[in-house]
Amino acid sequence: MFSNPPVSASTASRNPRRRQRTGSDDSVAIRQLPKRLKRSGLTAETFKSPINYSANGHLHDNEALPAVNGSLRDTRSQSPAGGENTSLAIRNRGGKRSERERKSNRSSGNVELTKNDTYAVSRLATTPLLLQEQGNAARWHGEFAPSLGYAIATTRTQALIWRYKPGPNATDSSKPIVVQFLHDADSPDDPLPLGVLVPSSPEPGLLIVMPASGKVTYWENLSSAASVDRGRQQQQAVQGRVTALASGEYITRITEAEPQGFLITINSGKIVHLTIADPQGKAKISTQLLHSSVPETGGIFGSLRNVFGGGSWLRDVAAVKVNKCGPNARRQCIIGTTKGMLQVWDLHWNGAHSLKYELDAKSQLLESIRETGTFPRDSDQQYFKVLDFAFLPPVVTGQEVTSSASSPATRLLFLTVISSPNTARYNLHVGNIIQGEIDIPIVHPIHCYRTPFDSRSSPTPHVLVPEPGQTAYVIIETSVVLVSLEEIEESPDSQLQTEARRVPDPFQDVVDFHKGKGYTVVGCAGDVPGKGDGGSACTLMVQGYGIIRVSVAPIAEGMTSADRTAITAVTRLEQAVFYGSQQSLLDLSGRSEIQYATEEVRDAALRISRSITSSSSSHLSTADPSMDQHLQKRAAALADLIKHLRKHYPPLDHVTRWKLLWEAEKMAAARAIWQVYNDHFSHRHEFEGEKILLYELIECISQEHKLENRLERHETDHVRHWFIKDVWRLEFIVPWAYKALDTLYRESVEDDQPMTSAYHGRLISQAYDLQLSSLETAYSFRQSNASLYGFDESAMVEGLLARDHKDLGDLPEPWTAGDWICLAVGQLSEYFQRFAGDSVSNSSDEEGDCPPPEILLMIAEKNARLVDIICKTHTERWQLFQARHIPATRKQGEELEQKFAEQRKSFLKGLAEMGQFSAAVELGEKYKDMDALADVLESEILVAQEMLSDLVKSSERSEGLRDKVALCEGYVKEYFDKYGAAWANAFFVRFVASDRISSLLAFGRKQRHHLTTFLRNHPECTNFSWINEISAEGDYASAAKCLRTATKQADTLWAKKIQMSISKLASLAVDSGKQKKDDKAEPFLRTVDGKLEVLASQEQLYDYLLPTLRRALNDTTARVDVVMEQHGRRYVKGKPALRKAMKLHVARLVEEKVLDTDDLIDTISLMDEDSLDPGCAFTIRRFLTALQLVLFEAMDTGEIARKDLQERIVWRRCIIQDDWPKINRTEAKDEAQVKKETRATALFKTLTEGFKSGIVVPIRIIPPPMILTLGAGFWRDNPPREPSTLLGAGTTVESLRISSRYKDAPDSALSLIARDLETEDKALQRCIEKGRLEEWWKGIVDAARSSARNEADRVGEEESQRSAAEEGFREKMRRDDRAAWVVNGVDRIAGPADAGPDEVSKEGRDMDEEGDVRMEM
């Protein structure tokens, strides 16, 4: 039998008088330390049991502390001279350590990554920045020394050493120490150097091993290792080499075998015992292979086998763990292979070792898996492997006797895997080794993690069982699996489960890192629990992030291990919601192995949502300096909840998603209410003694609807308390806003101290703010976040679902449509209407208390928004009722709809009465309430007309009223196009009901189709509908039918026109084959046509003014004032003579008297351009109409000078209607804008209309077949007047005298007229000079001609069919009126005799096809 290697003298037998080694100057403290330590030979170990058990590298008692990789470290070996080096000074410092550590933990700056009732994960603030760099491509290897509080990270060339746990001294720093290696790697592909911190005092030593070369470097303290002096660093280092390395071998790990030894594991399976001191305690590197004590075999082969390790040479070593097994620094070493082979060794610090026994645990491990029922069926294709093991604390009973001779069972926890290419089954086995036999009594299958790992590319999995040994931490790649090892308390059921080896694991979970971000676990170790800390923890070094600590909380008092069950869906969702968006390391999305039932996820989601809105979650703070930020955080948590649910879980049912959305709405609404309250509170100093409504409101809410303050916890601010605890009951705030307001006012009256109207108004305003901020925010949030919650946003309008939406039928009642809310919002609006009415009544009383107008105006504007909310809440309510499957409920919904239709009409009319007409119209349009719109518009028109009749002399007020009437009539016209028959029925029925038949027919000319449809659908209107059939439809058959049933005849609205029209109708309405020909019809028609043209022009003017005239009473003066205020403000302002003349003309017009042609021309041309409807045909053609009348007058009188004067005046007025200097400023306009502005001018419209009708078209540019179609032959001698030719027209008395119109007028009157016309002339001069009108002129004419030509081309095809029939008429006119059509001997119809087609159309070449203006510069 081989003898053991020479045994070094023990520490106890070491010569105390040996000469101390001298070192560097910085080791003086170390040399002096032993002298002080001789004061006492007693240590804490004196009173300890001689046998100490360990669990995964932790002693069962607190005598030993865990090492880096699961082995044990004796605290007696933490000083260079053994246990004697415990000075009084050190003990005193150590006595205050726990207090300093508590202070350090409170201010450590650690970042909490996730936390639940069972475990927490946090990042330590002591990580060097270099390790936190995510993009750092360098490889790292890390180790921890938990007992020392240090960590070490090694690269290929250096090591970083720092304190990652608070030190015993306040001056301890976590700043890393950099140690450069003395030896470089032989190849870039070599494994990273391994480093271990060696316990020493006052600072640790450092051991560095190069895996490929086996070179070993040891420094007795870090100061020496980190010396910047290379020579000094090398001088103070102790160097050696692991000589057992063969070619291709390298070192894989270092296991501490304290006090002064380490076990080196080689990839081939060799185990080398390395010591760092000789028997005399002097630093020295020695290595020995572990040899088994077996007989030698003869021959050279036997010798060689023993040289290379003999029986101890094991392949595929899974783990090497060391445990203290007895006194005198003896250690127990267990070596395990991946195939389940175990060797148990006895070690001594001086290098002596012996193999106690060897056993095969594979069969027991596999059998234990089979008995659990989780063994895979296709076992032949599975691969079994032991990945790691750790020590467990022994089970100690009261009957055991502690003695040095006792040899209790060694308890181990094995991590095994049965893997296939696609999945893996991991298990934790509790094993007991007694006298060379192993038993596996308990198996913990890991159900929460089944991801296979690649042993070639992935780090080796580790299992850690830190004190107190209740939880196992399994580190696999980028995951940490937590498995509870706590035993179930004894009971009949638990005994049966134990016998069946199927004890259920009460708790398992996985902490995953995000994949694809480069996070790698480069080191891990069990943590040392603090004093009084019953939990356990492990520390991981994650490259690219830092050091994280995973800690499991102890079981709470009064609970058992059975109470700590698996992570629930609530906890899982809470982690994702409250921590998922706050850090980048942990992947909290969950794993596929952990599934929850849909009902559990649904209930968990609703529970978490409620915990957020009620702040009952432990993850939320209940005291935050900024309430707005506090509410924002809670709102963000709700958003994270739905995002996480939709991304990582199966779809939830729509009812659950609606409930979650409603909770989020409340949170958003609460934040809006807080902002309103904060604004009210910030202005409280402006109104001393006045209460804030929300403050009083929350006090008024009954205890059933809020959580009362806990005065014993000094909760005194009930407003903040409500926002923290009662947001989920926000639906009670809305109705109580009205109730609190009414209560405060009544109490003030009962106390004989009624509040002032201003104070009262401010409280009403606050009530509006509360209701508006909550409900408006809720509906807006619902609309904007519908898609986030999985709803179709297009099926929702402003937060309301369509009435036929499929989800409405089974939805619970939304909080925004509750009965209380629908009632309260309407009550508040009615309350303000009464308040406003009382204020108006008090305003007439000198002693009456009336609020400031600005308060009333402010509340009135808010009331418009509140009416919109009223409509929404009621609409949402009746739509919900109508969607129910119960007939009685649907009927109730229909009744609610009809009832609210009347209420809505009242609210909209109330808005208009309080000055919110625009809002009333807008809401009527929004909810398509035609009856309400008709009522509002009719009421506004009638009220304005009534007020105008009383304000004839007050032009300032009446101007606004006339504008109101015009605005209402504009809405009326717009609604015919927008809403069609629905609006026509609602609007026309009011004319019939009020017997305004004439107004109906007059208005119907503009809405012919709608009026005809309405009259035909209402038989009661046949007594006057024949008029519409004749005048509007020209349907004589229908008119005859109406006349046969009607007893009334036509009204005499305009007597002369009706007489002439009926006469003409009698002449032309000939029944085919039954009516005789009238010989006088043709002369009569020729006589009446000209007069009808003039009357038609006057009628057009009257029809256009009719909406304005209806605003005034049936009084000539009032109606004249209305027209003058509406259409005679700007242009005739500053022109008293023209204004007076226009007023006289308007007076005759409104009296339905025929105007003189000149008077009609002046009236049409003097009207304000901006007061007219720009899209109306009359507005577009009014100057063309005036020019037509000028021509008609000239044809009647034959006065060329009069025609010339009047024509120039009309052209001048047409031009100066627009601001040409402004149009000329084109530097900041694009082509489209310039085109738009020029086309909008009265000049362009007149020219275009003239070209269309042929009035101002030179005959030679029109092809002969189109002449009469465009009417060119009628006005061939009236080309457009250039601006410069218009100057001076009528600006002197002499120039006016040439017209017979002013022949008998006195000079004084003419001078006034000339002065006004001179004002027009100056305006024209300004347009020519500053607007460059002369340069614009030709381009505008060409553009108008082109526009007309394009229009002519469009109708040309239709007109070509009529040209043949008209040819005879054109020839007759050429023969009869040749002298009148030829100018200067040139026939302008046929063109010059020698002119070709190209020359005839030459003038049209200067414009493009679209008629764009090209100005000649």
Side-chain angles (χ1 to χ4, degrees):
M1 179 179 295
F2 288 113
S3 61
N4 291 333
V7 179
S8 302
S10 66
T11 305
S13 62
R14 190 180 305 161
N15 183 5
R17 297 183 61 186
R18 67 180 179 85
R19 182 173 178 265
Q20 297 290 332
R21 278 194 315 133
T22 58
S24 59
D25 296 338
D26 57 345
S27 62
V28 175
I30 299 179
R31 294 196 301 269
Q32 293 177 351
L33 187 59
K35 297 180 180 180
R36 295 196 303 267
L37 294 178
K38 290 182 179 180
R39 295 171 55 187
S40 175
L42 297 177
T43 67
E45 294 180 305
T46 305
F47 306 100
K48 292 291 182 181
S49 173
I51 299 179
N52 298 281
Y53 304 102
S54 62
N56 189 41
H58 300 278
L59 291 181
H60 187 56
D61 55 22
N62 290 330
E63 180 183 354
L65 298 175
V68 176
N69 50 14
S71 298
L72 298 185
R73 177 180 296 137
D74 189 352
T75 54
R76 293 174 298 180
S77 64
Q78 293 181 13
S79 59
E84 299 177 359
N85 297 344
T86 306
S87 66
L88 181 62
I90 294 178
R91 289 198 302 271
N92 288 341
R93 289 194 298 269
K96 297 183 180 180
R97 177 176 180 178
S98 60
E99 180 180 355
R100 284 193 297 271
E101 286 181 348
R102 287 195 299 269
K103 293 180 179 180
S104 176
N105 290 335
R106 288 195 296 266
S107 59
S108 61
N110 297 341
V111 179
E112 192 174 77
L113 303 182
T114 187
K115 183 179 181 181
N116 55 45
D117 293 338
T118 304
Y119 65 87
V121 182
S122 58
R123 181 169 82 168
L124 304 186
T126 54
T127 307
L129 294 178
L130 193 59
L131 277 177
Q132 299 181 27
E133 295 177 358
Q134 192 169 347
N136 190 353
R139 291 191 301 150
W140 294 86
H141 175 78
E143 296 285 359
F144 292 96
S147 62
L148 303 175
Y150 279 87
I152 177 173
T154 59
T155 66
R156 191 166 301 282
T157 59
Q158 63 182 11
L160 265 69
I161 305 166
W162 71 97
R163 179 177 288 279
Y164 74 96
K165 295 172 63 176
N169 299 320
T171 58
D172 287 344
S173 174
S174 60
K175 182 178 180 181
I177 299 172
V178 180
V179 177
Q180 299 294 334
F181 296 150
L182 298 180
H183 306 287
D184 295 332
D186 296 335
S187 170
D189 298 329
D190 288 348
L192 291 176
L194 304 177
V196 178
L197 293 170
V198 181
S200 180
S201 181
E203 60 181 356
L206 175 62
L207 178 69
I208 299 296
V209 177
M210 307 302 289
S213 63
K215 296 178 181 178
V216 180
T217 307
Y218 169 63
W219 290 276
E220 292 185 288
N221 53 72
L222 294 178
S223 300
S224 301
S227 176
V228 296
D229 186 344
R230 189 73 170 179
R232 179 181 177 185
Q233 181 193 30
Q234 188 171 4
Q235 178 185 0
Q236 295 182 349
V238 179
Q239 301 186 49
R241 191 182 189 96
V242 178
T243 58
L245 286 177
S247 176
E249 294 181 338
Y250 58 88
I251 298 171
T252 59
R253 66 175 70 99
I254 302 177
T255 305
E256 297 181 55
E258 297 186 14
Q260 295 181 355
F262 301 88
L263 293 179
I264 304 296
T265 303
I266 302 175
N267 63 327
S268 60
K270 296 177 183 178
I271 306 298
V272 177
H273 189 189
L274 182 148
T275 57
I276 57 174
D278 60 12
Q280 286 74 36
K282 183 178 180 181
K284 180 180 179 181
I285 304 299
S286 301
T287 61
Q288 300 181 57
L289 276 172
L290 289 188
H291 294 274
S292 59
S293 300
V294 296
E296 295 185 25
T297 58
I300 186 173
F301 296 104
S303 301
L304 289 175
R305 186 188 66 177
N306 285 296
V307 169
F308 290 104
S312 64
W313 191 349
L314 304 175
R315 292 195 176 272
D316 297 327
V317 174
V320 177
K321 300 296 172 72
V322 178
N323 184 20
K324 183 177 179 182
C325 61
N328 300 325
R330 290 182 59 246
R331 296 291 185 267
Q332 181 188 54
C333 170
I334 299 180
I335 304 171
T337 69
T338 58
K339 296 182 179 180
M341 293 294 298
L342 297 176
Q343 287 186 348
V344 181
W345 294 76
D346 275 343
L347 302 179
H348 197 276
W349 70 270
N350 59 7
H353 56 266
S354 61
L355 177 63
K356 294 179 62 177
Y357 39 78
E358 184 178 87
L359 53 90
D360 186 355
K362 180 177 181 179
S363 59
Q364 288 89 338
L365 293 172
L366 288 174
E367 182 62 26
S368 65
I369 297 176
R370 290 190 182 94
E371 293 182 3
T372 62
T374 61
F375 197 82
R377 296 179 180 179
D378 52 346
S379 57
D380 295 338
Q381 301 178 5
Q382 305 289 331
Y383 175 70
F384 173 80
K385 189 175 183 180
V386 177
L387 301 177
D388 195 12
F389 67 87
F391 288 103
L392 288 176
V395 178
V396 180
T397 64
Q399 299 177 353
E400 293 184 4
V401 179
T402 303
S403 65
S404 60
S406 64
S407 54
T410 300
R411 302 183 69 233
L412 300 176
L413 183 68
F414 296 91
L415 172 63
T416 66
V417 63
I418 299 179
S419 61
S420 65
N422 298 322
T423 186
R425 295 176 183 268
Y426 299 90
N427 294 275
L428 291 175
H429 310 254
V430 177
N432 297 322
I433 299 178
I434 304 176
Q435 300 297 328
E437 300 292 334
I438 186 169
D439 177 40
I440 310 295
I442 299 176
V443 179
H444 297 278
I446 298 178
H447 304 292
C448 60
Y449 188 91
R450 291 185 177 179
T451 304
F453 75 98
D454 187 355
S455 58
R456 295 169 296 180
S457 59
S458 301
T460 303
H462 292 281
V463 58
L464 303 175
V465 188
E467 286 188 7
Q470 297 174 346
T471 304
Y473 299 79
V474 180
I475 297 91
I476 306 176
E477 294 184 328
T478 57
S479 300
V480 180
V481 184
L482 308 178
V483 181
S484 175
L485 303 178
E486 295 169 315
E487 296 183 2
I488 305 297
E489 295 181 357
E490 291 188 2
S491 66
D493 292 339
S494 63
Q495 289 179 0
L496 292 175
Q497 292 174 341
T498 303
E499 292 174 0
R501 299 184 180 184
R502 190 68 189 275
V503 179
D505 294 322
F507 164 73
Q508 288 186 11
D509 199 18
V510 183
V511 178
D512 283 316
F513 301 162
H514 279 293
K515 294 179 173 58
K517 292 189 176 182
Y519 297 130
T520 305
V521 179
V522 296
C524 61
D527 211 346
V528 180
K531 185 177 181 181
D533 185 3
S536 64
C538 75
T539 309
L540 286 78
M541 188 181 300
V542 181
Q543 183 171 347
Y545 192 80
I547 297 179
I548 66 169
R549 187 174 189 265
V550 183
S551 58
V552 176
I555 297 179
E557 185 177 355
M559 296 179 62
T560 64
S561 56
D563 297 325
R564 178 173 282 180
T565 57
I567 296 296
T568 63
V570 172
T571 302
R572 187 77 60 196
L573 288 175
E574 282 182 336
Q575 288 181 279
V577 169
F578 295 107
Y579 296 100
S581 60
Q582 300 178 8
Q583 44 82 29
S584 61
L585 175 67
L586 302 185
D587 181 2
L588 301 176
S589 60
R591 297 187 61 85
S592 59
E593 297 92 340
I594 304 175
Q595 298 292 331
Y596 300 98
T598 303
E599 294 77 9
E600 185 178 2
V601 175
R602 177 197 62 199
D603 296 340
L606 295 175
R607 178 178 171 183
I608 293 173
S609 180
R610 179 56 55 85
S611 71
I612 294 173
T613 54
S614 62
S615 294
S616 58
S617 172
S618 60
H619 301 283
L620 293 173
S621 170
T622 56
D624 200 311
S626 172
M627 180 56 64
D628 185 67
Q629 293 183 2
H630 173 78
L631 295 172
Q632 187 176 4
K633 292 176 184 176
R634 291 160 66 187
L638 291 173
D640 291 340
L641 173 62
I642 188 61
K643 291 177 183 177
H644 183 76
L645 286 169
R646 295 195 64 201
K647 183 176 181 181
H648 300 290
Y649 290 87
L652 295 172
D653 61 277
H654 68 280
V655 174
T656 301
R657 287 183 281 119
W658 271 109
K659 291 180 179 180
L660 295 175
L661 176 57
W662 291 335
E663 293 283 312
E665 287 172 12
K666 291 181 180 181
M667 186 57 61
R671 188 181 177 200
I673 294 175
W674 171 259
Q675 293 171 350
V676 167
Y677 169 74
N678 198 45
D679 182 65
H680 294 165
F681 196 83
S682 62
H683 291 86
R684 69 190 186 282
H685 61 279
E686 300 176 8
F687 310 102
E688 294 185 3
E690 295 188 4
K691 298 179 180 179
I692 299 177
L693 184 64
L694 182 62
Y695 188 91
E696 303 299 326
L697 183 156
I698 293 178
E699 276 199 344
C700 292
I701 294 179
S702 62
Q703 296 181 3
E704 299 176 357
H705 302 144
K706 68 177 181 181
L707 185 65
E708 292 290 343
N709 290 358
R710 293 171 294 184
L711 298 180
E712 67 276 7
R713 295 192 178 184
H714 307 285
E715 296 174 349
T716 58
D717 190 341
H718 62 272
V719 176
R720 284 179 175 264
H721 188 266
W722 184 91
F723 279 101
I724 293 173
K725 295 295 184 180
D726 292 314
V727 169
W728 64 280
R729 293 186 277 204
L730 184 137
E731 61 268 22
F732 298 107
I733 283 288
V734 177
W736 273 97
Y738 164 74
K739 293 182 180 180
L741 171 66
D742 188 55
T743 301
L744 288 175
Y745 179 74
R746 292 181 183 275
E747 288 179 352
S748 68
V749 174
E750 293 173 359
D751 296 340
D752 293 331
Q753 294 180 348
M755 59 181 62
T756 64
S757 59
Y759 176 22
H760 194 188
R762 282 188 286 271
L763 284 179
I764 294 175
S765 178
Q766 291 184 27
Y768 270 84
D769 290 341
L770 294 180
Q771 290 193 353
L772 289 173
S773 61
S774 58
L775 293 175
E776 283 183 341
T777 302
Y779 283 118
S780 175
F781 182 91
R782 186 184 302 172
Q783 180 68 40
S784 59
N785 291 273
S787 58
L788 177 62
Y789 285 81
F791 301 116
D792 184 7
E793 190 173 344
S794 62
M796 191 180 297
V797 179
E798 294 190 3
L800 297 182
L801 279 177
R803 63 187 305 173
D804 58 347
H805 196 275
K806 58 182 178 61
D807 289 350
L808 274 178
D810 54 355
L811 277 184
E813 183 177 277
W815 70 276
T816 50
D819 186 32
W820 283 16
I821 289 182
C822 292
L823 180 64
V825 289
Q827 288 176 332
L828 181 59
S829 180
E830 294 170 351
Y831 188 92
F832 169 64
Q833 291 185 34
R834 294 193 298 269
F835 174 77
D838 294 341
S839 300
V840 173
S841 300
N842 293 335
S843 63
S844 59
D845 187 359
E846 296 181 357
E847 297 181 358
D849 183 16
C850 203
E854 57 270 16
I855 291 182
L856 291 176
L857 179 60
M858 176 180 62
I859 303 176
E861 293 174 351
K862 294 178 181 178
N863 189 55
R865 295 161 54 197
L866 187 65
V867 171
D868 185 22
I869 292 298
I870 294 172
C871 295
K872 284 184 178 180
T873 56
H874 283 80
T875 301
E876 186 176 19
R877 185 170 179 80
W878 61 253
Q879 283 185 354
L880 185 71
F881 276 54
Q882 291 181 7
R884 293 294 191 236
H885 306 295
I886 303 174
T889 307
R890 290 201 300 269
K891 183 178 179 181
Q892 184 181 0
E894 295 172 357
E895 294 173 353
L896 288 174
E897 181 182 10
Q898 296 174 1
K899 181 180 178 180
F900 179 67
E902 294 299 321
Q903 293 178 346
R904 180 170 57 203
K905 187 186 302 183
S906 174
F907 282 122
L908 295 182
K909 290 183 68 175
L911 280 180
E913 291 170 0
M914 288 187 289
Q916 299 298 311
F917 166 74
S918 298
V921 172
E922 182 180 351
L923 291 176
E925 293 177 355
K926 180 177 180 179
Y927 296 100
K928 294 181 174 56
D929 194 336
M930 300 297 105
D931 288 337
L933 281 174
D935 274 354
V936 169
L937 292 175
E938 183 183 37
S939 177
E940 285 295 306
I941 292 174
L942 294 177
V943 170
Q945 290 176 345
E946 181 181 356
M947 295 178 65
L948 279 171
S949 64
D950 298 333
L951 298 174
V952 174
K953 298 180 181 180
S954 178
S955 60
E956 295 181 0
R957 296 188 61 186
S958 61
E959 179 181 344
L961 293 174
R962 281 190 289 271
D963 292 342
K964 175 62 71 65
V965 174
L967 178 63
C968 292
E969 292 178 344
Y971 281 123
V972 170
K973 179 181 178 182
E974 177 187 349
Y975 293 160
F976 279 104
D977 298 331
K978 190 172 184 179
Y979 301 114
W983 167 251
N985 290 335
F987 183 72
F988 288 146
V989 75
R990 281 159 176 76
F991 286 88
V992 178
S994 58
D995 200 22
R996 291 178 291 156
I997 306 304
S998 60
S999 299
L1000 173 63
L1001 293 175
F1003 184 85
R1005 294 171 189 152
K1006 301 177 181 179
Q1007 300 295 335
R1008 179 175 58 84
H1009 171 71
H1010 293 296
L1011 178 60
T1012 301
T1013 303
F1014 172 78
L1015 292 176
R1016 289 176 178 177
N1017 291 333
H1018 291 76
E1020 67 273 12
C1021 300
T1022 54
N1023 59 334
F1024 57 85
S1025 61
W1026 67 272
I1027 301 175
N1028 178 73
E1029 297 292 352
I1030 294 176
S1031 61
E1033 298 296 330
D1035 189 348
Y1036 294 99
S1038 297
K1041 181 180 179 180
C1042 292
L1043 287 172
R1044 285 193 299 267
T1045 58
T1047 59
K1048 283 189 174 183
Q1049 300 299 322
D1051 290 335
T1052 58
L1053 180 61
W1054 294 288
K1056 187 174 181 179
K1057 176 176 175 54
I1058 291 176
Q1059 292 173 0
M1060 294 171 61
S1061 298
I1062 294 176
S1063 299
K1064 188 174 182 179
L1065 178 64
S1067 302
L1068 298 177
V1070 179
D1071 191 2
S1072 178
K1074 294 182 179 181
Q1075 188 173 358
K1076 294 182 180 181
K1077 183 177 180 182
D1078 187 3
D1079 296 335
K1080 296 182 179 180
E1082 185 173 349
F1084 172 77
L1085 292 176
R1086 285 200 302 266
T1087 304
V1088 77
D1089 281 346
K1091 295 179 180 180
L1092 286 176
E1093 288 294 335
V1094 176
L1095 291 177
S1097 299
Q1098 183 174 340
E1099 185 183 29
Q1100 291 177 6
L1101 175 59
Y1102 187 87
D1103 287 345
Y1104 188 84
L1105 295 178
L1106 190 58
T1108 304
L1109 294 175
R1110 284 207 299 266
R1111 294 185 303 182
L1113 297 176
N1114 192 17
D1115 176 77
T1116 301
T1117 305
R1119 301 179 79 185
V1120 169
D1121 289 341
V1122 169
V1123 175
M1124 293 301 295
E1125 288 297 327
Q1126 178 69 25
H1127 302 291
R1129 291 174 298 167
R1130 183 183 64 83
Y1131 191 87
V1132 297
K1133 184 178 181 180
K1135 305 180 182 72
L1138 294 180
R1139 178 178 175 81
K1140 181 179 180 181
M1142 181 181 177
K1143 192 171 184 180
L1144 293 174
H1145 306 333
V1146 172
R1148 291 183 61 82
L1149 180 66
V1150 299
E1151 291 176 351
E1152 303 180 48
K1153 296 180 180 180
V1154 178
L1155 287 175
D1156 184 70
T1157 305
D1158 290 327
D1159 297 338
L1160 183 59
I1161 292 171
D1162 282 342
T1163 304
I1164 293 174
S1165 61
L1166 289 175
M1167 296 175 66
D1168 294 337
E1169 180 74 9
D1170 55 0
S1171 69
L1172 305 176
D1173 184 357
C1176 178
F1178 173 79
T1179 304
I1180 296 173
R1181 296 179 57 87
R1182 71 180 181 116
F1183 284 101
L1184 180 61
T1185 301
L1187 292 172
Q1188 285 179 323
L1189 295 176
V1190 170
L1191 184 58
F1192 288 150
E1193 181 71 10
M1195 292 176 65
D1196 285 342
T1197 62
E1199 296 182 30
I1200 302 302
R1202 180 176 181 177
K1203 170 182 175 294
D1204 180 76
L1205 174 63
Q1206 194 70 1
E1207 193 174 69
R1208 291 169 65 195
I1209 291 174
V1210 171
W1211 274 111
R1212 182 171 62 195
R1213 290 174 181 172
C1214 174
I1215 291 173
I1216 64 177
Q1217 291 294 321
D1218 302 286
D1219 189 356
W1220 284 98
K1222 180 179 179 181
I1223 296 174
N1224 180 64
R1225 292 193 291 271
T1226 60
E1227 60 275 7
K1229 305 174 186 176
D1230 58 11
E1231 184 177 357
Q1233 186 174 356
V1234 174
K1235 183 189 298 184
K1236 179 180 178 182
E1237 292 180 356
T1238 54
R1239 286 174 176 264
T1241 61
L1243 175 61
F1244 182 89
K1245 295 175 183 178
T1246 302
L1247 289 171
T1248 302
E1249 292 299 316
F1251 280 121
K1252 288 181 181 179
S1253 61
I1255 294 176
V1256 294
V1257 179
I1259 301 301
R1260 59 189 176 86
I1261 72 169
I1262 302 297
M1266 298 291 293
I1267 290 177
L1268 290 183
T1269 301
L1270 298 179
F1274 189 72
W1275 263 5
R1276 65 177 185 178
D1277 295 327
N1278 291 275
R1281 295 293 187 102
E1282 295 185 1
S1284 59
T1285 65
L1286 308 177
L1287 294 173
T1291 57
T1292 62
V1293 175
E1294 292 74 18
S1295 63
L1296 292 174
R1297 289 290 185 189
I1298 63 175
S1299 173
S1300 61
R1301 181 184 182 188
Y1302 303 110
K1303 181 179 180 181
D1304 299 329
D1307 289 345
S1308 59
L1310 292 181
S1311 62
L1312 295 177
I1313 296 175
R1315 187 183 304 169
D1316 291 348
L1317 295 177
E1318 185 178 5
T1319 303
E1320 293 180 349
D1321 210 62
K1322 292 179 180 179
L1324 177 62
Q1325 186 68 35
R1326 176 175 175 271
C1327 292
I1328 294 174
E1329 294 177 359
K1330 297 186 178 181
R1332 300 166 63 206
L1333 188 58
E1334 284 290 318
E1335 299 176 47
W1336 282 93
W1337 176 257
K1338 188 177 186 305
I1340 293 175
V1341 172
D1342 292 342
R1345 181 187 297 112
S1346 178
S1347 179
R1349 175 180 294 172
N1350 292 337
E1351 180 68 15
D1353 291 340
R1354 183 182 65 83
V1355 300
E1357 184 66 22
E1358 300 174 358
E1359 296 296 336
S1360 63
Q1361 298 178 1
R1362 299 171 54 189
S1363 62
E1366 295 174 350
E1367 182 63 27
F1369 176 72
R1370 289 199 298 271
E1371 290 297 330
K1372 182 177 180 300
M1373 290 188 66
R1374 287 194 181 101
R1375 290 194 302 269
D1376 296 344
D1377 302 324
R1378 188 66 178 176
W1381 288 88
V1382 177
V1383 178
N1384 297 326
V1386 179
D1387 187 345
R1388 302 190 66 178
I1389 296 179
D1394 57 347
D1398 295 338
E1399 295 181 14
V1400 171
S1401 59
K1402 182 178 181 181
E1403 293 187 23
R1405 296 176 182 173
D1406 294 332
M1407 58 191 117
D1408 56 22
E1409 293 182 357
E1410 296 180 358
D1412 296 342
V1413 177
R1414 291 205 301 266
M1415 183 179 66
E1416 295 181 0
M1417 302 300 294

